[in-house]
């Protein structure tokens, strides 16, 4: 199993541009999450999904959109990128049981200039 | 909403036990406590979790107080590779699989 994969690894955006961060997991997990981590800070939950077609907001959803059309994929869309969205973005998944922790991807480092 | 509190940073001598505390006084009912660590800028790595009883695996031990308001992660023989940020987390509200990570404890293992 590849686990949780994220693309791209790095990206530089200009202010106002849009992009989609991709996240895929091959473990058939129901729950998927998007976090952002600013330099020197902890992780903040952006959005999460409990299954295909169901998403919900986390702590910091403004400026982002998500969709979950399949169990495997959970893309994060940035519309009108702003410098405040410069961060490292992590995707994670969990089978939907409290007996197992979350599996994290390697992250996408995004810079908006 | 449940939340956790951890010290900002700790140092530990190589080969000694590292004891990382976490306060989760607002934890409810049958909620698990989870520990993760993040080495440099990699994705967080799951370490261990527990409910009421103490737990041990190949990476660490977890001691949970009887009232479940706090816990301690123990790395029995810390190595330089254990230098990382350690996060203690609980579910935000019972019945959801939504987790809030705080700022964690930055553990530095000293040679």
């Amino acid at each position: 199993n590849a686990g949780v994969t994220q693309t791209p690894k790095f990206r530089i955006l200009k202010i106002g541009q849009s992009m989609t961060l991709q996240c895929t997991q091959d473990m058939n997990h129901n729950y998927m999450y998007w976090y952002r981590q600013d330099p020197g800070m902890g992780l903040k939950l952006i959005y999460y999904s409990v299954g295909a077609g169901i998403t919900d907001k986390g702590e910091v959803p403004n400026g982002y959109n998500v969709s979950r059309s399949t169990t495997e994929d959970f893309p994060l869309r940035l519309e009108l990128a702003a410098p405040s969205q410069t961060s490292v973005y992590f995707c994670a998944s969990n089978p939907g049981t409290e007996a197992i922790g979350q599996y994290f991807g390697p992250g996408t480092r995004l810079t908006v200039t | 909403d449940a939340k956790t509190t951890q010290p900002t940073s700790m140092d530990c001598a190589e080969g000694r036990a590292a004891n990382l505390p976490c306060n989760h006084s607002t934890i409810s009912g049958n909620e698990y406590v989870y520990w993760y660590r993040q080495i440099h800028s990699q994705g967080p790595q799951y370490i261990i979790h527990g409910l009421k009883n103490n737990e041990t695996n190949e990476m660490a031990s977890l001691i949970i107080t009887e009232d479940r308001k706090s816990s301690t992660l123990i790395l029995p023989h810390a190595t330089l590779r254990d230098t990382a940020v350690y996060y203690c987390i609980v579910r935000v509200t019972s019945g959801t699989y939504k987790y809030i990570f705080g700022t964690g404890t930055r553990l530095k293992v000293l040679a």
Side-chain angles (χ1 to χ4, degrees):
Chain A
N1 286 351
V4 179
T5 57
Q6 294 183 238
T7 57
K9 287 187 169 54
F10 304 93
R11 183 72 186 268
I12 298 174
L13 281 182
K14 294 190 185 306
I15 295 171
Q17 287 185 321
S18 300
M19 76 163 295
T20 299
L21 282 67
Q22 301 292 345
C23 175
T24 300
Q25 53 90 10
D26 62 358
M27 298 172 283
N28 201 33
H29 286 174
N30 289 325
Y31 279 69
M32 295 186 75
Y33 308 81
W34 274 106
Y35 296 89
R36 61 174 285 175
Q37 184 174 36
D38 299 336
M41 306 296 287
L43 282 75
K44 292 188 183 297
L45 182 65
I46 306 172
Y47 272 97
Y48 70 107
S49 169
V50 304
I54 306 171
T55 62
D56 203 355
K57 296 177 181 179
E59 300 173 88
V60 290
N62 292 343
Y64 306 94
N65 281 302
V66 293
S67 59
R68 184 94 182 271
S69 57
T70 67
T71 300
E72 296 77 21
D73 301 306
F74 190 40
L76 178 71
R77 178 82 178 163
L78 278 73
E79 305 281 2
L80 299 175
S84 61
Q85 294 177 304
T86 293
S87 192
V88 180
Y89 292 83
F90 291 103
C91 179
S93 74
N94 171 276
T97 168
E98 56 193 359
I100 299 175
Q102 295 176 71
Y103 294 79
F104 281 82
T108 293
R109 186 176 296 275
L110 176 67
T111 301
V112 182
T113 62
Chain B
D1 291 350
K3 61 179 292 186
T4 62
T5 305
Q6 300 176 253
T8 303
S9 63
M10 296 180 65
D11 290 341
C12 177
E14 188 178 21
R16 304 298 292 268
N19 296 287
L20 293 93
C22 177
N23 178 290
H24 35 78
S25 57
T26 58
I27 196 170
S28 61
N30 294 320
E31 295 299 326
Y32 284 80
V33 178
Y34 301 85
W35 283 83
Y36 292 78
R37 74 179 182 184
Q38 186 177 27
I39 296 174
H40 198 45
S41 299
Q42 299 174 19
Q45 176 191 22
Y46 164 80
I47 300 172
I48 197 168
H49 72 282
L51 181 60
K52 296 179 182 178
N53 300 319
N54 299 337
E55 302 288 345
T56 296
N57 64 21
E58 64 278 4
M59 292 181 69
S61 295
L62 177 61
I63 308 296
I64 302 174
T65 58
E66 192 169 341
D67 63 9
R68 302 206 332 112
K69 292 185 176 181
S70 65
S71 60
T72 300
L73 179 75
I74 301 172
L75 308 177
H77 305 287
T79 71
L80 297 178
R81 289 179 295 178
D82 292 322
T83 293
V85 178
Y86 288 78
Y87 297 97
C88 160
I89 68 167
V90 297
R91 288 199 292 193
V92 172
T93 52
S94 183
T96 73
Y97 291 96
K98 180 178 170 182
Y99 304 88
I100 300 295
F101 283 71
T103 53
T105 296
R106 187 172 297 276
L107 175 69
K108 188 172 182 180
V109 180
L110 306 172

